[in-house]
Amino acid sequence: MSSSPHAPVHDAATDVGTRPSLTVLSGFWPAATFAAARALLAADPSLLLVRHDLTGIRDGVIRRVVRTGAGIVEDEQVDLAHGCASCTLRQDVLPTLLRLARDNPGHDLVLMLPEVVEPEAVAAACAHHLVDGAPITDLVRVDSYVTVLDAEHLFDGLASTDDLATLGIQAAEDDHRTLADVVARQIEYADTLVLWGRSREGEFETGRIAVLLRRMAPWAAHFRVDGELVDAAALTRQLRHTHRHRPETPGVLARGLQGFALGTHEPEADCGVVSVVFRARRPFHPRRLHDVLEDVNAEVVRSRGHLWLASQPDAVVAWEFAGGGLAMGSLGHWLVSLPEDRWEHVCDQRRLAAALEWDPYYGDRHQHLVFIGLDVDPVELHRTLADCLLTDAELADGEETWRTYHDPFAGCFPLGTG
């Protein structure tokens, strides 16, 4: 096999059975994430670990380090035309992975992401960006997305109201994410979660954290590792060659729309952790919903999903709460509001999910929200949200009247003309 960086992509290594496996490690606390990476390296001397240091990214400079269990193979400074995480993925991370796959047949890869990079961004880059005219999956099989959580710091991270810019670790000049946003999304996109170490509050608190993680990402495989006693061989069996990644799985805000599980309804507290799923067909009254936004998230660590407002019946509204802040935005049109000739631009999975639950009056419009928190009263939460739905009398007034309601969210969810 040629070692040239411009060697043809389609060669013997592209056979499904011979492509090297890629494990993507993410985590906001690098000490725990790197400890997991070192354990994998100790168990397999042929494994190649790729890391990127983004400390100087806003100056257009990153540091790339490639190592095996025996030591550092590469340590280079890379200049980028634009200082941001997305351009780093396109311009250096993906080409590096393909180069290593070509030059080191038989060697699997581990990509350890910087703490502020979300695994979903890597999945999107793998799916949509070509290197040398071909997708990365022609040469590399993405095996799993693993997020490592530090048990000592996880609760503080999910409760933090700090944004990345305040902490001086934003991935780009226009990066307005909070620490809690990043941690929550790293948890939710992963197909494998590793809770590393123990809480400083003791075993009960460590168990509570484990329950919280299972509620936040019920679709993932969950493992606990005592940070002081690590069985590298056992960890390798749990994290590598698992075939857990499913590229068709959508990001968390699109899960419900495409018919995937958005969460589990677990109203009985386990170590104080409760998960509540709220679903309804009729729309929310905008003013009543606006008035309870603070109340419904008072005891919540994470809430997410989508909804529809009577005053804006064409728009799918995204809902995402973490770290004390609620974000709402547009996810586009409900299918019922689109001409049928535009449905072809919507993914098959969403059309199928809509068809399975189509209502003759509401179409595909519905509420689907999940709330996960400590000591949440599920009955009171459900009652509060149900009281925000339109009454029978309001429903009878019809859409033309709904659009005239006083709407505190007016102009917040533009749909455009496309």
Side-chain angles (χ1 to χ4, degrees), residues 138-394:
D138 274 13
L139 262 187
V140 176
R141 180 181 62 80
V142 182
D143 180 70
S144 66
Y145 284 84
V146 179
T147 296
V148 183
L149 291 313
D150 189 326
E152 184 175 349
H153 301 292
L154 178 59
F155 261 139
D156 291 340
L158 286 170
S160 173
T161 58
D162 291 333
D163 56 52
L164 301 186
T166 299
L167 298 172
I169 55 174
Q170 70 269 39
E173 292 298 332
D174 59 350
D175 187 354
H176 304 299
R177 295 173 298 163
T178 67
L179 187 162
D181 289 334
V182 174
V183 174
R185 292 170 191 163
Q186 288 177 341
I187 292 169
E188 291 163 347
Y189 191 79
D191 50 61
T192 308
L193 292 176
V194 178
L195 181 59
W196 195 272
R198 289 172 280 183
S199 167
R200 55 183 175 272
E201 302 298 327
E203 184 58 31
F204 176 82
E205 194 70 6
T206 305
R208 185 202 294 258
I209 293 170
V211 173
L212 178 66
L213 289 176
R214 289 196 295 272
R215 299 290 186 268
M216 290 184 66
W219 42 79
H222 292 253
F223 302 101
R224 285 180 58 179
V225 174
D226 186 321
E228 297 178 0
L229 301 170
V230 181
D231 185 332
L235 187 65
T236 293
R237 289 193 297 271
Q238 292 166 340
L239 302 189
R240 293 186 53 211
H241 298 289
T242 63
H243 300 271
R244 291 193 184 109
H245 176 55
R246 296 291 181 266
E248 70 277 7
T249 303
V252 68
L253 289 181
R255 287 184 68 93
L257 286 176
Q258 295 190 29
F260 289 80
L262 190 60
T264 57
H265 189 62
E266 302 280 354
E268 296 294 327
D270 185 350
C271 296
V273 181
V274 172
S275 177
V276 179
V277 176
F278 179 82
R279 302 199 68 170
R281 294 309 302 233
R282 59 179 68 193
F284 282 125
H285 188 289
R287 179 185 51 78
R288 294 202 293 269
L289 180 64
H290 183 268
D291 289 347
V292 303
L293 292 181
E294 187 173 338
D295 294 339
V296 296
N297 285 308
E299 306 297 330
V300 168
V301 174
R302 178 66 162 164
S303 60
R304 60 188 180 231
H306 59 264
L307 56 91
W308 73 294
L309 296 170
S311 51
Q312 302 183 51
D314 298 335
V316 184
V317 179
W319 170 293
E320 186 177 23
F321 174 90
L326 174 65
M328 299 173 70
S330 174
L331 289 176
H333 289 79
W334 293 106
L335 297 187
V336 72
S337 71
L338 290 174
E340 287 195 22
D341 61 358
R342 289 181 54 192
W343 288 24
E344 65 186 39
H345 303 297
V346 178
C347 72
D348 293 343
Q349 186 63 37
R350 179 169 174 199
R351 293 203 305 271
L352 176 61
L356 288 174
E357 296 192 8
W358 194 267
D359 182 273
Y361 182 65
Y362 298 114
D364 60 324
R365 295 176 294 190
H366 64 280
Q367 321 289 359
H368 192 173
L369 299 170
V370 178
F371 297 81
I372 303 152
L374 303 177
D375 302 316
V376 172
D377 184 336
V379 175
E380 181 61 27
L381 176 60
H382 191 280
R383 181 185 298 116
T384 299
L385 291 168
D387 287 345
C388 298
L389 299 172
L390 294 196
T391 64
D392 290 345
E394 290 168 333

